[in-house]
Amino acid sequence: MLLLIPGPVQTRPDVRAAMAVDIAPWDNDFKARYAAIRDTVRDIAGGVAGEHACLPLQGAGHFITEAAIRTFVPAGRKLLVVMNGSYAERMARLAREAGREVVALAVPDFRSVTPGEVADALAADPAIGHVGVVYSETGSGIVNDVVALGAAVRAAGRRMIVDAVSAFGALPFDLKAQPEVDAVVFTSNKCIEGLPGIAFAVSPIARVLECAGNAGSWSFDLSDVYATAMKAGWGSFRFTPPVQALHAFGVALDIFQKEGGQPARLARYRENARLLHEGVQALGMRPYLDWAHQGPIIVTVHQPADPAFTLLDFVERLKKHGVLISNFHNTPVPSLRIGCIGDVHADDIRFALCAIGTVLDEMGVARRQAA
Ligand SMILES: *Cc1c(COP(=O)(O)O)cnc(C)c1O
């Protein structure tokens, strides 16, 4: 099966094979491997040894986003969330339920937010201490410019939390050049092409120390993750980790570096996105985003207006041709989502486009433009 979803992504056989071992997390060999993974992750984020720390947390992306909010935004304080997609809505919910006050900056989900919009929102409310932004919005496929936004946040003397879950490893990020960032967060199972199970934040150590006591939760306290590393070493855990997923993530990181790191991954995904964006148009469908706003992670397409089209039927039929895409959509209007990330190459995309054309014919979908 060719998995064209924005995570958990299609992985290489070597990565999956690394899961098939028993490992004791506290074994010295594994501790050394885990410590090395943390250093590598910090380096990929543009972190500097001694200044920035990689702070992993068991579980999904929502968990690390919640942990970053709880750790860096004090209880009762305000977080401006740039609302241009479904993952931003999720960030806002995580913050509200953690007792942080959310100020929503509404932006349509078919374009990036501008630095001016963020600067204006910050100027309008001096009580806002943090900005939360989704780097690559996996709802629609847009990308927010975290460098330009960061400059606006820095100029306003505020702090930023970046949900880079679907961006990290593909889109560039340089923590040392963005001192306003408290945390950049991501998971094992997206652009690094590992398996699900573990999430990561990379943060400035000085801020982690300053923020000790904010979290109001032991499980979600990144300061405590740091304190444990100080006490017991960078290879240590507070609670049982998904050791096999971590081990496989290490293999995925090795492959990532060998492929040429972030620039190579971005180039491959961008080509996948370009082929998809052009290919669906050649089949008569309309992409949700203009190419100028199209990111390299996911291509969203308007569902065809033809009454013969239903998403679930389409997805099930496509699966019979060996291609799996999401069976739900995250845009305000009906769409379908095709992932560009994972161990997916240009030939895979060409194969998928052929299958999509065949299935639309099979279903008798003649009117393929948006409703
Ligand atoms: C996938 C994703 C997440 C996290 O999803 P989980 O299911 O919690 O791992 C968060 N933000 C973005 C932008 C994502 O693409």
Side-chain angles (χ1 to χ4, degrees):
M1 188 67 67
L2 174 62
L3 214 55
L4 294 185
I5 60 174
V9 299
Q10 174 147 304
T11 54
R12 279 167 225 236
D14 292 0
V15 173
R16 295 193 297 275
M19 295 283 285
V21 284
D22 288 316
I23 303 168
W26 39 259
D27 177 72
N28 282 335
D29 293 344
F30 188 72
K31 281 172 83 169
R33 177 141 175 86
Y34 175 45
I37 287 173
R38 291 174 82 164
D39 284 350
T40 304
V41 165
R42 179 202 59 220
D43 293 349
I44 295 171
V48 175
E51 276 179 47
H52 301 102
C54 169
L55 304 168
L57 195 69
Q58 293 86 340
H62 288 76
F63 294 16
I64 195 74
T65 303
E66 173 165 351
I69 291 168
R70 284 183 172 275
T71 302
F72 295 106
V73 183
R77 297 292 298 280
K78 284 189 181 177
L79 170 75
L80 179 78
V81 180
V82 174
M83 302 291 274
N84 54 355
S86 59
Y87 283 91
E89 281 166 26
R90 286 156 178 264
M91 182 189 270
R93 176 171 175 179
L94 290 169
R96 276 192 208 102
E97 296 204 10
R100 276 64 176 170
E101 193 178 331
V102 171
V103 180
L105 173 58
V107 181
D109 75 344
F110 47 78
R111 67 161 174 89
S112 321
V113 68
T114 67
E117 287 170 319
V118 169
D120 289 349
L122 292 177
D125 190 346
I128 295 169
H130 278 79
V131 176
V133 66
V134 178
Y135 193 170
S136 160
E137 197 19 282
T138 327
S140 64
I142 54 140
V143 170
N144 286 308
D145 182 348
V146 294
V147 171
L149 297 180
V153 172
R154 195 157 68 236
R158 318 298 172 83
R159 312 286 313 162
M160 188 155 91
I161 291 172
V162 181
D163 170 351
V165 178
S166 69
F168 193 86
L171 292 168
F173 189 83
D174 190 9
L175 193 54
K176 62 186 164 304
Q178 298 213 246
E180 72 285 357
V181 172
D182 273 347
V184 56
V185 304
F186 74 101
T187 61
S188 50
N189 57 282
K190 294 204 178 177
C191 301
I192 302 290
E193 302 182 3
L195 291 145
I198 186 119
F200 302 84
V202 187
S203 293
I205 292 169
R207 287 288 297 151
V208 175
L209 293 171
E210 255 168 53
C211 291
N214 277 352
S217 159
W218 181 22
S219 298
F220 289 114
D221 186 358
L222 295 178
S223 299
D224 192 60
V225 175
Y226 180 75
T228 303
M230 290 299 95
K231 265 198 308 268
W234 293 99
S236 65
F237 300 92
R238 300 181 304 160
F239 317 124
T240 301
V243 267
Q244 282 81 4
L246 254 173
H247 183 55
F249 183 71
V251 173
L253 276 176
D254 294 342
I255 294 171
F256 172 80
Q257 309 276 38
K258 279 200 200 96
E259 189 183 331
Q262 174 267 321
R265 204 139 284 191
L266 177 59
R268 177 158 62 83
Y269 293 169
R270 211 187 273 298
E271 179 63 3
N272 289 347
R274 188 188 67 79
L275 289 168
L276 276 171
H277 201 265
E278 286 176 5
V280 294
Q281 290 179 82
L283 291 171
M285 289 188 286
R286 184 153 77 86
Y288 185 73
L289 299 176
D290 293 337
W291 179 247
H293 295 290
Q294 176 65 60
I297 306 302
I298 177 169
V299 170
T300 303
V301 185
H302 284 281
Q303 288 184 22
D306 199 299
F309 185 90
T310 68
L311 182 60
L312 290 189
D313 187 27
F314 178 70
V315 170
E316 288 302 312
R317 283 170 184 265
L318 200 53
K319 203 164 72 183
K320 294 205 177 75
H321 289 264
V323 180
L324 188 57
I325 66 166
S326 299
N327 61 7
F328 57 92
H329 63 85
N330 278 329
T331 48
V333 297
S335 64
L336 48 101
R337 347 166 54 218
I338 311 174
C340 310
I341 62 176
D343 180 29
V344 173
H345 303 259
D347 281 346
D348 298 314
I349 300 294
R350 292 193 192 97
F351 170 79
L353 284 163
C354 268
I356 290 171
T358 305
V359 167
L360 290 173
D361 288 345
E362 243 174 61
M363 292 169 75
V365 175
R367 280 177 54 215
R368 295 179 179 179
Q369 286 291 315

